[in-house]
Amino acid sequence: MATVKEFRNEVRPNWCPGCGDYAVQAAIQRSLGSLNLEPEQVAVISGIGCSGRISGYINAYGFHGVHGRSLPLAQGVKLANRDLTVIAAGGDGDGFGIGMGHFMHAARRNMNITYIVMDNQIYGLTKGQHSPTSAFGFKAKTTPAGNIENAVSPLQIALAAGVTYLAQGFSHDVNQLTELITKGIQHKGFSLINVFSPCVTYNKVNTYEWYKEHIVPLDQFPEYDPTNKKAATTKVIETDGLCTGLIYEDNDRPAFEDLIPGYQPTPVADLDIHITQDQFEKFMSEFA
Amino acid sequence: MHMLQELSWKVGGQQGEGIDSTGKTFATSLNRMGYFIYSYRHFSSRIKGGHTNDRVRISTVRKNSLADELDILLAFDQETINLNAHELREGGIVIADSKFSPVLPDNVAQNVHLYSIPFTKLAEENGAAIMKNMVALGTSAYVMGLSPDFCAPVIQNMFGRKSQKIVDQNMAAIRAGFDAMSGQNADFSSFQLAPATPDHHLLMIGNEAVAFGALSAGARVMPAYPITPASDIMEYLIKKLPSVGGVVVQTEDEIAALNMTIGAAYGGTRALTATSGPGLALMMEAMGLAGMTETPVVIIDTQRGGPSTGLPTKHEQSDMFAALFGNHGEIPKVVLTPSTPEECFYATVDAFNYAEKYQCPVIILTDLALSLASQSVTPFDYNYVEIDRGNLATPEALAAVEPGKMFKRYERTEDGISPRVFPGQKGGIHHVTGVEHNEIGRPDEATNNHIKMMDKRLNKFADIELPGSISYNGDNDPEVLVVGVGSSVGAIDEAVTRLRNQGIKVGHAQVKVLSPFPAKSLQEYMNRAERVIVAESNATGQLFHLMQLHGLQHKAMTSFLKYDGTPFMPKEVEAHLKGAVPAWQQ
């Protein structure tokens, strides 16, 4: 049985020292190592950006697609082979900027995949432009006078789009992050784990220290019920989107794959794709 | 009595009035009797209201285009008469609902007659006004010398499940129309259709042939976004794929559609998507990804009028350059251009084999007339359907991968084609990226690596001409060679036959593959001709320029372009070959 070691490879990430993404990588590897999976049963599908490189840093099948499209790609992989554990990953620009449309539709479609966003509130790979999650007033290369757009709330959007598993983590707390990712993978449906993953090079505002001061761990509210969507929405608004932990889960709604008419328990990729001459003639006779 | 070997019929009215189903009932019934049908619908981008018509050519032999002239026009409103009566031949007839007191316009041929028949009133007398279409069909049956029961089996199929009463009412409405026409005491002998030779053929549109081809070729995942005129493909497969364990997903846009298709193909299935020009534009980035990652995908582009939203319901062939050159960077690609529904079926079967053999995107470029025209076709050959999934890693090769090592998914081989593995396979772990990469898929931007990998991908088609890239008929040493592409095959063939019957030597080459371009074969045909005319439905002569790009040369090569939104008619091609300037170029 594979352990965390088997999900590691020899590639040295091209991330800056101190980048929050190392912790996300470690959390994914630990999580996979705890789930009785073999590396070949996992596909990590990523987008473009510093964090998009993560599919190359985990020993599993990995596909590094184009900017903003990790989710459509990941859903295609899942459709082809429902037995695979499919993880989509990328940054806030990839997921909530260029890929925002796919994010909302993936959430409402509810395929059994896990989406991990490394949210650093900045564009790192292009060297420091503001992102969709940058705060109002935030100064970056493309907002020298301060951001005059509002930051998007990925958590509120996920809830509005019908997400069935929503969690938020922080790169500083790998143990909690591992647990949130593990639960997300185990969840039967679409799961989003948004991770505050600081950019130590370009974001001098939202630093580790800043997050430590501002995040609101949900475990300080013993009465909090993550199956209550109204309470989840309220908490997200009350904490200005800075709550961490399991925010919401709906375990009643079936995954997309379980609702497709005629969809087999056997992965589509393993089905015999030949049709018989009888089937062929029957289909053809409908055009007479 | 002289009987017609073919007849041209049109029904017109407002969209939402059942014009489409009237034409379909008529065409399906005649097709079952053994007649050959070519039926083309004129419609607009709206659901209710606006003029629509369905024009049907009925023939005792196969025809692949519309007829030049019209014999019979059925009209449910005056607008239909005003817009279409000029197409009637000398002595042609209009049969119209007397409800709107129809009149003939001035621009009709000699001896065109109008018959005013109470379609609506007779329908109401037999049950409901909605059956006025059936009354109209009955009038047609009488004029053409058909039995009033000619469409009984189709009516039974349509309404039998609802109730026998509805079937009986519809049949009575047809009979009422038939009797009303017989009561006119007119001579319709010039509309009598010769009996058909009993022959079993199917009636389908190109989109259905493509969709059935995909189903037969083993395609099991189709992510797609609705667009005219491609939507029939996903609509057919959404009905059929569940019976074979497959799935159609209606995605949020075409960007998602092709990326999801790539994911499904990478995941181990045969996958396709279908779109038209605007969607093809949105797919360009993902197409580059498929080329770069050597992922086999099939993309159907049913061309319509462009640019931009253009003419969404009209015919054009203006996406050829977009399909060939639209993506950034340079990737290998197969582009197929079938010209009949049969070719749509077989080209789709081939497309999946090419995609997996060459591990690259394959585009099937149809056009609106081919996608939507309803045609009689020869039943498809089951034995043609062979599934070849190309170079897949053998179990021995996977077992030989050392623990901790990655599989060489992009191994440089002599033919540039590397073994594929699918996620889930032990020993096959590798990386895939749109970044330039090495043999195991890891990013590698070194200069020498880029050259090697570019050559690996692009040389897959070095000196290859795919089978059936060109079809040719006509004289071996023609005065004129017509080069065409797509659905124009029928109109060109008909014009060529007419000229040859007039003693003029003509040849016709229809191009069925745009990439890899069959330059060598086409040049050979051109060498034998005194003049070359390249006929295509666009404004800039894309096929003409593509031939030049591939170095094809001829001393007298000209372009024949039509871009008014309608397909070529045989008489237009004939006139052009004889040197006349077409009306739209005057």
Side-chain angles (χ1 to χ4, degrees):
Chain A
M1 198 53 62
T3 63
V4 60
K5 265 183 8 205
E6 277 74 29
F7 288 95
R8 293 185 185 138
N9 63 20
E10 82 296 352
V11 185
R12 244 184 88 202
N14 59 3
W15 297 323
C16 306
C19 175
D21 294 354
Y22 287 103
V24 180
Q25 177 199 11
I28 294 173
Q29 288 164 329
R30 282 199 214 173
S31 169
L32 292 171
S34 72
L35 282 165
N36 288 342
L37 292 165
E38 296 297 334
E40 65 269 13
Q41 296 173 300
V42 178
V44 181
I45 315 295
S46 61
I48 295 291
C50 295
S51 55
R53 288 293 180 104
I54 199 163
S55 58
Y57 305 152
I58 291 167
N59 188 43
Y61 279 90
F63 197 131
H64 178 224
V66 292
H67 196 23
R69 319 301 170 199
S70 66
L71 283 170
L73 204 55
Q75 290 169 90
V77 177
K78 188 68 181 180
L79 285 171
N81 189 342
R82 63 187 304 176
D83 283 355
L84 293 172
T85 294
V86 178
I87 296 172
D92 44 309
D94 195 71
F96 308 138
I98 188 168
M100 178 63 106
H102 305 308
F103 162 57
M104 289 189 279
H105 290 285
R108 74 178 180 85
R109 198 170 282 128
N110 197 37
M111 272 189 216
N112 187 9
I113 63 173
T114 298
Y115 186 34
I116 299 168
V117 178
M118 286 151 270
D119 184 355
N120 57 15
Q121 295 160 269
I122 192 99
Y123 280 69
L125 194 59
T126 48
K127 301 191 192 298
Q129 299 82 10
H130 74 285
S131 96
T133 53
S134 297
F136 185 85
F138 180 80
K139 284 190 179 176
K141 274 190 187 151
T142 45
T143 49
N147 188 9
I148 56 172
E149 297 172 0
N150 273 323
V152 74
S153 168
L155 305 182
Q156 285 189 51
I157 286 186
L159 287 165
V163 75
T164 55
Y165 178 97
L166 178 64
Q168 188 156 258
F170 174 30
S171 285
H172 186 67
D173 188 345
V174 183
N175 290 339
Q176 184 203 35
L177 190 53
T178 305
E179 193 190 322
L180 294 173
I181 292 171
T182 304
K183 279 188 180 162
I185 292 172
Q186 287 168 329
H187 173 74
K188 303 275 180 253
F190 182 84
S191 50
L192 169 68
I193 298 104
N194 194 59
V195 187
F196 293 128
S197 179
C199 173
V200 293
T201 304
Y202 292 107
N203 192 334
K204 303 298 186 194
V205 176
N206 308 105
T207 59
Y208 284 96
E209 291 309 312
W210 186 91
Y211 282 114
K212 280 181 207 165
E213 282 169 28
H214 288 82
I215 58 174
V216 184
L218 283 171
D219 52 17
Q220 64 181 261
F221 308 107
E223 78 290 357
Y224 184 73
D225 175 11
T227 65
N228 182 335
K229 191 166 182 175
K230 193 176 167 189
T233 306
T234 304
K235 191 60 78 183
V236 166
I237 294 170
E238 277 174 4
T239 60
D240 199 17
L242 290 163
C243 52
T244 53
L246 173 60
I247 298 166
Y248 178 66
E249 66 180 326
D250 171 358
N251 292 315
D252 294 332
R253 205 178 127 203
F256 183 83
E257 303 91 290
D258 294 325
L259 297 171
I260 300 171
Y263 204 61
Q264 306 291 314
T266 307
V268 182
D270 292 343
L271 296 174
D272 178 5
I273 57 173
H274 296 81
I275 62 172
T276 65
Q277 184 148 12
D278 283 351
Q279 281 177 307
F280 183 86
E281 300 296 341
K282 186 184 156 288
F283 288 137
M284 201 160 58
S285 70
E286 293 166 7
F287 294 107
Chain B
M1 187 175 66
H2 174 74
M3 296 186 103
L4 298 177
Q5 294 305 312
E6 66 163 89
L7 186 142
S8 180
W9 176 97
K10 182 185 268 192
V11 59
Q14 292 290 301
Q15 281 187 185
E17 240 183 351
I19 303 304
D20 194 25
S21 68
T22 310
K24 195 166 183 197
T25 305
F26 183 71
T28 307
S29 300
L30 291 161
N31 183 69
R32 286 193 188 172
M33 291 166 73
Y35 290 106
F36 290 87
I37 300 298
Y38 186 97
S39 160
Y40 187 74
R41 201 157 63 90
H42 166 99
F43 64 113
S44 310
S45 277
R46 55 194 280 192
I47 303 304
K48 295 274 183 189
H51 174 69
T52 181
N53 67 62
D54 196 356
R55 182 165 170 164
V56 184
R57 185 182 199 179
I58 310 115
S59 174
T60 55
V61 292
R62 173 82 179 256
K63 299 285 180 186
N64 290 323
S65 81
L66 284 172
D68 287 326
E69 290 177 323
L70 196 59
D71 296 288
I72 301 169
L73 175 63
L74 296 186
F76 288 103
D77 57 11
Q78 185 61 41
E79 188 184 6
T80 297
I81 302 177
N82 297 346
L83 290 173
N84 300 285
H86 70 278
E87 293 175 0
L88 286 159
R89 67 166 164 88
E90 202 179 308
I93 57 170
V94 179
I95 310 172
D97 195 344
S98 52
K99 188 182 174 187
F100 60 90
S101 307
V103 289
L104 280 180
D106 297 334
N107 64 338
V108 292
Q110 283 197 328
N111 297 322
V112 166
H113 283 276
L114 168 70
Y115 295 90
S116 183
I117 304 289
F119 291 164
T120 307
K121 185 163 160 283
L122 289 171
E124 280 166 353
E125 285 170 13
N126 282 281
I130 195 174
M131 297 189 305
K132 62 185 179 178
N133 301 313
M134 297 299 158
V135 177
L137 284 182
T139 64
S140 303
Y142 182 79
V143 171
M144 293 163 62
L146 302 169
S147 153
D149 294 332
F150 84 105
C151 52
V154 175
I155 300 289
Q156 187 70 43
N157 278 2
M158 277 169 74
F159 301 114
R161 272 191 212 154
K162 286 187 186 164
S163 81
Q164 189 57 38
K165 188 183 165 204
I166 296 176
V167 174
D168 294 343
Q169 284 180 337
N170 277 278
M171 290 310 298
I174 292 172
R175 170 70 69 174
F178 188 90
D179 292 344
M181 214 58 203
S182 98
Q184 298 289 314
N185 292 319
D187 174 18
F188 294 119
S189 59
S190 72
F191 297 92
Q192 304 289 295
L193 197 55
T197 316
D199 178 48
H200 174 62
H201 37 249
L202 313 170
L203 186 67
M204 64 169 70
I205 62 175
N207 279 340
E208 289 167 333
V210 165
F212 183 40
L215 178 68
S216 305
R220 293 295 176 264
V221 179
M222 181 191 195
Y225 187 81
I227 187 169
T228 301
S231 302
D232 312 272
I233 300 171
M234 69 187 291
E235 286 167 13
Y236 178 82
L237 287 173
I238 212 157
K239 279 186 263 176
K240 299 301 174 199
L241 280 180
S243 67
V244 291
V247 57
V248 173
V249 177
Q250 183 176 320
T251 55
E252 53 272 25
D253 56 33
E254 288 91 345
I255 297 173
L258 186 52
N259 277 284
M260 207 180 282
T261 305
I262 293 169
Y266 162 76
T269 61
R270 286 190 151 189
L272 79 155
T273 187
T275 188
S276 187
L280 185 74
L282 291 183
M283 289 180 183
M284 285 305 169
E285 189 192 26
M287 201 186 296
L289 179 68
M292 184 58 148
T293 59
E294 305 188 50
T295 309
V297 290
V298 173
I299 301 158
I300 319 296
D301 176 36
T302 58
Q303 300 173 90
R304 67 186 209 186
S308 188
T309 308
L311 300 171
T313 62
K314 302 289 183 283
H315 174 78
E316 206 166 273
Q317 300 173 320
S318 53
D319 293 350
M320 286 186 274
F321 277 6
L324 288 164
F325 310 121
N327 48 267
H328 67 280
E330 296 155 311
I331 57 165
K333 192 187 282 180
V334 174
V335 180
L336 306 176
T337 50
S339 62
T340 63
E342 285 97 329
E343 288 175 14
C344 284
F345 176 83
Y346 295 115
T348 306
V349 171
D350 292 342
F352 284 94
N353 287 338
Y354 292 149
E356 296 202 310
K357 178 176 180 183
Y358 297 110
Q359 301 180 11
C360 69
V362 177
I363 301 174
I364 300 176
L365 209 51
T366 65
D367 52 47
L368 187 133
L370 179 57
S371 309
L372 297 186
S374 194
Q375 296 178 247
S376 297
V377 301
T378 308
F380 306 139
D381 180 7
Y382 176 73
N383 293 319
Y384 183 90
V385 183
E386 279 182 18
I387 293 172
D388 175 4
R389 304 213 57 185
N391 186 353
L392 300 179
T394 60
E396 296 75 36
L398 290 172
V401 177
E402 289 172 41
K405 294 280 179 201
M406 304 250 285
F407 181 76
K408 286 188 179 176
R409 165 69 186 91
Y410 301 104
E411 186 177 3
R412 281 195 291 272
T413 58
E414 209 159 292
D415 59 4
I417 293 156
S418 323
R420 277 200 304 152
V421 283
F422 303 126
Q425 285 186 279
K426 199 170 167 58
I429 286 180
H430 62 278
H431 194 235
V432 179
T433 175
V435 178
E436 186 58 281
H437 42 266
N438 61 18
E439 290 187 309
I440 55 172
R442 290 258 166 79
D444 183 344
E445 298 179 357
T447 50
N448 61 346
N449 180 65
H450 185 52
I451 293 169
K452 279 181 188 163
M453 295 308 265
M454 286 299 284
D455 291 347
K456 166 196 178 341
R457 291 186 292 265
L458 294 171
N459 291 346
K460 290 175 183 175
F461 299 114
D463 299 322
I464 285 182
E465 224 172 80
L466 297 175
S469 287
I470 296 174
S471 68
Y472 185 86
N473 62 49
D475 295 288
N476 278 331
D477 51 345
E479 291 171 39
V480 189
L481 167 68
V482 194
V483 180
V485 65
S487 66
S488 62
V489 70
I492 297 175
D493 267 346
E494 218 163 315
V496 166
T497 303
R498 287 181 201 168
L499 260 75
R500 293 181 75 202
N501 288 341
Q502 295 160 31
I504 304 168
K505 286 187 174 179
V506 192
H508 171 201
Q510 197 76 2
V511 179
K512 310 288 174 66
V513 180
L514 297 183
S515 176
F517 194 70
K520 194 161 164 256
S521 301
L522 194 51
Q523 181 69 63
E524 281 167 20
Y525 290 122
M526 290 163 68
N527 290 344
R528 298 188 218 150
E530 286 177 35
R531 284 197 296 144
V532 176
I533 293 172
V534 185
E536 52 190 313
S537 295
N538 58 57
T540 56
Q542 298 187 15
L543 179 60
F544 180 92
H545 289 295
L546 184 65
M547 289 163 68
Q548 291 191 325
L549 180 76
H550 284 279
L552 299 193
Q553 292 182 343
H554 197 280
K555 59 183 190 307
M557 180 167 147
T558 55
S559 214
F560 177 34
L561 307 175
K562 186 178 185 190
Y563 50 96
D564 67 352
T566 66
F568 283 112
M569 299 291 273
K571 66 178 174 190
E572 295 165 351
V573 181
E574 181 187 7
H576 185 84
L577 296 187
K578 288 175 168 172
V581 179
W584 60 86
Q585 286 184 355
Q586 279 168 8

